Amino acid sequence: MTGDGTRVVRAGLPEPAAYEPSLPGPVFAAHFHLPGDATGPYTYGRDANPTWTHLEQAIGELESPEEPAHTVAFASGMAAITAILFSQLRTGDAVVLPNDGYQLLPAVRDRLESYGIEVRTAPTAGDAQLHVLDGARLLWIETPSNPGLDVCDIRRLADAAHARGALVAVDNTLATPLGQRPLDLGADFSVASGTKALSGHGDILLGYACTRDAALADAVRLWRKTVGAIPGPMESWLAHRSLATLAVRVRQQAAGALLLAETLAGRPEITGLRHPGLPSDPSHALAAAQMRPGRFGSVVSFTLPDKAHAERFLAALTLVDDATSFGGVRSTAERRARWGGDAVPEGFIRFSVGIEEPEDLIADVVQALDAAQLKS
């Protein structure tokens, strides 16, 4: 099997054709020439688009190299998440969600419950979702969790869920398909926000869902068509173009994140430091067992003494954007409590390491921490 760097460069490209580009440009079309019966790969712009096809093939090859997965691209990560949930769940079903996952999951919970779907929650750490699985139709896993960076055992949870007749979906946004392959660990779905590391430049919104089961893919694809949660051709093309550098970006970000975490571990004003790559992290052993070596993600989280201290730190940074999201080429950091919805302290920082030189980035973080301390 070829290496990750080679695979991302070639993923989803059509067969070479004389005088044609290796990656065709975006196809902008609301409709296509359609003589006779409504059959064929491209009929109407809400059903399919050649630019989506190339991107979906590429992502499927990365999420499941041995057996390319059926992939459905969406306008955003939340569009992909809700497509799985609402295509698979019916009134009277039960679903298990993490209670420490992405901040919009509580809003999703409210909507599910309004449709008569029972929602159970449990923390990511310690595989706690095991204890509320009985009778569930679907188990939703987020590992590493966002923003707390806890990790659960995908294989163990998937086996337990399948033994009870439940489907399993894993949010793979933070790990990326180069850091973790949920389908190989027993999940039925791997889903992610392509807004983050997959496209990596902070300039598009995108999401996707992957599965090896054609029937499950058809159900998700029908949901996309029904609600119109389709990606734009330009966004799809930009994402595919950006995939070529994914391996380079993931390596640089992961290495920088680990160095940053090691530096922060020596700061007395910091508490609650988390990064799965740190040997001292409570999730490290499990993360090392199920994630790819050295691919523990770009995110480091930690807590400063209070809101004011955290905001002084963020204001003093010169190489880091005070912005939300993560996984981009430019480092970002934010005081996560400003959004509400996450059960984190006021001084909690989610820091996403970009592809800057780690030495420059760490020097900037250290001076910002020093400046925040001086003014306290």
Side-chain angles (χ1 to χ4, degrees):
M1 183 187 294
T2 56
D4 287 341
T6 303
R7 192 177 306 111
V8 296
V9 168
R10 307 300 307 178
L13 298 183
E15 289 297 320
Y19 317 117
E20 293 292 329
S22 56
L23 176 61
V27 174
F28 298 98
H31 57 265
F32 301 83
H33 289 295
L34 187 61
D37 293 335
T39 59
Y42 306 108
T43 58
Y44 184 65
R46 195 176 64 251
D47 296 328
N49 177 291
T51 311
W52 306 350
T53 299
H54 295 311
L55 174 64
E56 290 171 343
Q57 180 181 338
I59 294 172
E61 292 173 11
L62 299 182
E63 286 278 359
S64 182
E66 297 289 346
E67 180 187 347
H70 305 281
T71 302
V72 186
F74 288 88
S76 69
M78 284 306 301
I81 288 170
T82 53
I84 293 174
L85 292 169
F86 290 106
S87 70
Q88 299 305 313
L89 296 169
R90 302 289 183 270
T91 299
D93 286 342
V95 61
V96 177
L97 302 179
N99 65 9
D100 54 352
Y102 183 55
Q103 66 164 357
L104 274 179
L105 286 182
V108 172
R109 174 181 184 163
D110 290 345
R111 182 62 59 183
L112 289 167
E113 290 178 335
S114 76
Y115 293 156
I117 296 165
E118 179 189 354
V119 179
R120 307 169 188 166
T121 63
T124 297
D127 299 341
Q129 290 171 297
L130 278 174
H131 306 302
V132 291
L133 268 179
D134 286 351
R137 163 67 180 158
L138 175 66
L139 167 64
W140 191 273
I141 295 170
E142 188 177 303
T143 181
S145 62
N146 171 32
L149 302 181
D150 277 319
V151 173
C152 60
D153 188 329
I154 297 173
R155 173 68 70 183
R156 182 186 182 204
L157 286 165
D159 287 348
H162 290 153
R164 293 163 171 80
L167 295 170
V168 178
V170 177
D171 187 329
N172 203 35
T173 301
L174 198 146
T176 83
L178 299 192
Q180 180 172 267
R181 294 184 186 141
L183 300 181
D184 287 349
L185 295 169
D188 300 288
F189 291 102
S190 180
V191 59
S193 167
T195 308
K196 311 298 194 297
L198 191 87
S199 56
H201 290 75
D203 51 9
I204 63 171
L205 294 179
L206 197 83
Y208 69 85
C210 285
T211 178
R212 290 174 179 156
D213 186 312
L216 292 177
D218 286 345
V220 171
R221 193 175 291 110
L222 178 59
W223 180 267
R224 177 182 69 180
K225 175 181 177 179
T226 303
V227 302
I230 59 173
M234 192 66 192
E235 288 84 355
S236 299
W237 184 85
L238 284 169
H240 196 172
R241 180 211 60 176
S242 299
L243 277 181
T245 61
L246 179 61
V248 176
R249 290 187 279 110
V250 164
R251 282 196 292 266
Q252 179 81 348
Q253 290 167 326
L258 181 57
L259 286 172
L260 175 62
E262 291 170 344
T263 300
L264 295 175
R267 299 289 305 204
E269 74 271 36
I270 285 175
T271 58
L273 175 65
R274 298 298 303 272
H275 178 65
L278 273 178
S280 59
D281 190 275
S283 291
H284 177 72
L286 180 53
Q290 75 183 11
M291 299 178 75
R292 309 280 297 286
R295 306 277 180 86
F296 297 108
S298 64
V299 178
V300 179
S301 67
F302 55 94
T303 301
L304 290 168
D306 53 39
K307 175 181 177 180
H309 196 125
E311 291 187 344
R312 289 195 302 271
F313 163 69
L314 293 169
L317 292 165
T318 62
L319 299 180
V320 181
D321 295 337
D322 187 346
T324 195
S325 200
F326 58 86
V329 293
R330 289 173 290 278
S331 292
T332 61
E334 70 170 336
R335 194 181 63 81
R336 191 65 187 163
R338 67 182 176 179
W339 295 98
D342 292 317
V344 295
E346 286 293 334
F348 180 95
I349 301 292
R350 185 181 70 182
F351 197 113
S352 174
V353 174
I355 62 170
E356 300 91 352
E357 291 296 336
E359 294 79 8
D360 296 336
L361 182 63
I362 289 170
D364 187 40
V365 170
V366 169
Q367 71 78 24
L369 288 170
D370 290 344
Q373 281 283 80
L374 286 173
K375 296 177 183 178
S376 60

